[in-house]
Amino acid sequence: AIAEVEDDTPEQVRLSLGTTSSEMVVSWITADHKDGVVEWGFANDNLSFSELGINYTYSADEWDGVIHSAAMNSLLPATEYHYRVGDSIGGWSSISTFSTSPENDTRVRIGIVADMDVTNAAEDVVSSMAGHDLDLVLFPGDLSYAYDGTRVWDEVNGDEWDEWGRQYEPVSSTVPTMFAVGNHENEEQDGCAGCGFQAYLSRIDMPYEASGSDSEFWYSFNFSMFHIVSISSEHDYSEESSQYQWLENDLVNANQDREAHPWLITMFHRPMYSSTESGHGSEIDFRDAIEPLLVEQNVDIVIAGHDHNYERTF
């Protein structure tokens, strides 16, 4: 993969759910072109709607790309749309398709992936996911593994994020992905100009305010028959914390809406239970703090990452 963003053709195109079920957010990256729009419609030759995007960047040594974001709104439910991003000066992306949230009584296929990194194995996983007709992807942390001090070949320049964005694009450009933050997004390294979740917060924009949250690190949303809650195992989760108070309130409200959204899912990065001896193991402090609340509020499914093996419990 080419490490740098070398021209203004849009790349790393990624979809995420917006603040309402009728909105889909798309982000993309260019080298230095500041303008950009999203065009969408019901067919490749009928991109009749458009929205001007915003652009921004962040401070990271030797990285000067531009991040773009725009919202496609007034979308119909259970509908396939075609779209592209860019403009006639900087260039356009290829036309991709996505589908809006299915109705509540429709079978839904959700993909789950975590701890991806940029590897041949991860590329195979992305290729497999792209061929499975997913409606939504949940990604509980550790995206690009940028700025990991144990990987001595990494440099603090944003390249790892760009490589990950390109690797994931076959999925992210057609299926909305919703994230929880992981430990490798907390880029703490001596002399790092983009530390403390800065790259993650700049590149990943989750609709936290719509669920009454005061932080992008914890939020919730409805999708078809599901109410999905994303929280952070990397921040204060004690009973006195703002995160815990918000989580408790959100789960209580979700239970009052159980007829419309009967499935209640929670995701975070560090697992409450893990039998691995070669990895991190069970996050017992987190379990002691959070599990009683999840049990009390009848959460159906809990999703975590962090340990690099697949386990499930009942």
Side-chain angles (χ1 to χ4, degrees), residues 209-221:
E209 293 175 321
S211 57
S213 170
D214 60 356
S215 170
E216 289 190 44
F217 296 115
W218 43 89
Y219 64 95
S220 66
F221 60 96

Side-chain angles (χ1 to χ4, degrees), residues 254-284:
N255 272 295
Q256 295 174 355
D257 191 39
R258 210 78 189 232
E259 184 174 350
H261 303 97
W263 286 90
L264 184 50
I265 298 178
T266 302
M267 70 170 173
F268 41 78
H269 184 59
R270 299 176 189 257
M272 295 189 295
Y273 293 92
S274 173
S275 67
T276 180
E277 296 180 358
S278 59
H280 305 283
S282 302
E283 201 72 25
I284 296 176

Side-chain angles (χ1 to χ4, degrees), residues 1-15:
I2 299 174
E4 298 179 359
V5 182
E6 294 193 331
D7 60 44
D8 283 323
T9 303
E11 62 169 63
Q12 305 175 54
V13 180
R14 181 174 48 79
L15 297 171

Side-chain angles (χ1 to χ4, degrees), residues 106-299:
T106 303
R107 180 180 291 271
V108 174
R109 177 168 285 188
I110 298 177
I112 302 168
V113 64
D115 301 74
M116 182 174 282
D117 205 346
V118 181
T119 66
N120 291 336
E123 188 173 351
D124 291 341
V125 169
V126 171
S127 178
S128 176
M129 292 173 69
H132 275 81
D133 194 24
L134 300 175
D135 297 297
L136 176 70
V137 174
L138 302 179
F139 199 135
D142 282 7
L143 285 59
S144 73
Y145 281 72
Y147 312 132
D148 178 0
T150 64
R151 291 177 55 183
V152 295
W153 60 85
D154 283 355
E155 297 178 359
V156 184
N157 54 20
D159 289 353
E160 298 87 351
W161 277 102
D162 293 330
E163 291 172 359
W164 172 79
R166 296 187 190 100
Q167 174 186 258
Y168 190 47
E169 188 171 8
V171 172
S172 66
S173 61
T174 60
V175 184
T177 301
M178 306 302 283
F179 296 91
V181 70
N183 57 292
H184 283 285
E185 278 71 70
N186 188 8
E187 301 160 355
E188 294 182 355
Q189 190 177 44
D190 291 342
C192 172
C195 295
F197 301 104
Q198 184 177 2
Y200 175 85
L201 290 174
S202 298
R203 293 170 181 258
I204 306 298
D205 187 18
M206 296 290 98
Y208 67 99
E209 293 175 321
S211 57
S213 170
D214 60 356
S215 170
E216 289 190 44
F217 296 115
W218 43 89
Y219 64 95
S220 66
F221 60 96
N222 294 324
F223 186 84
S224 183
M225 66 188 77
F226 302 94
H227 181 75
I228 301 173
V229 185
S230 175
I231 61 174
S232 173
S233 57
E234 312 309 304
H235 295 78
D236 186 3
Y237 46 74
S238 65
E239 193 169 345
E240 298 76 24
S241 67
S242 61
Q243 176 174 204
Y244 186 99
Q245 299 293 325
W246 172 85
L247 174 62
E248 182 176 36
N249 183 68
D250 187 82
L251 293 178
V252 168
N253 289 338
N255 272 295
Q256 295 174 355
D257 191 39
R258 210 78 189 232
E259 184 174 350
H261 303 97
W263 286 90
L264 184 50
I265 298 178
T266 302
M267 70 170 173
F268 41 78
H269 184 59
R270 299 176 189 257
M272 295 189 295
Y273 293 92
S274 173
S275 67
T276 180
E277 296 180 358
S278 59
H280 305 283
S282 302
E283 201 72 25
I284 296 176
D285 288 346
F286 185 74
R287 180 207 301 174
D288 290 345
I290 297 297
E291 185 182 43
L293 179 59
L294 304 185
V295 172
E296 175 188 338
Q297 296 300 323
N298 298 306
V299 171

Side-chain angles (χ1 to χ4, degrees), residues 48-83:
S48 55
F49 307 100
S50 66
E51 184 71 26
L52 180 66
I54 61 173
N55 66 80
Y56 47 93
T57 188
Y58 65 98
S59 175
D61 293 347
E62 302 180 21
W63 192 81
D64 57 358
V66 177
I67 302 168
H68 303 259
S69 179
M72 293 173 275
N73 45 50
S74 301
L75 303 176
L76 301 174
T79 302
E80 182 179 80
Y81 286 92
H82 301 245
Y83 79 98

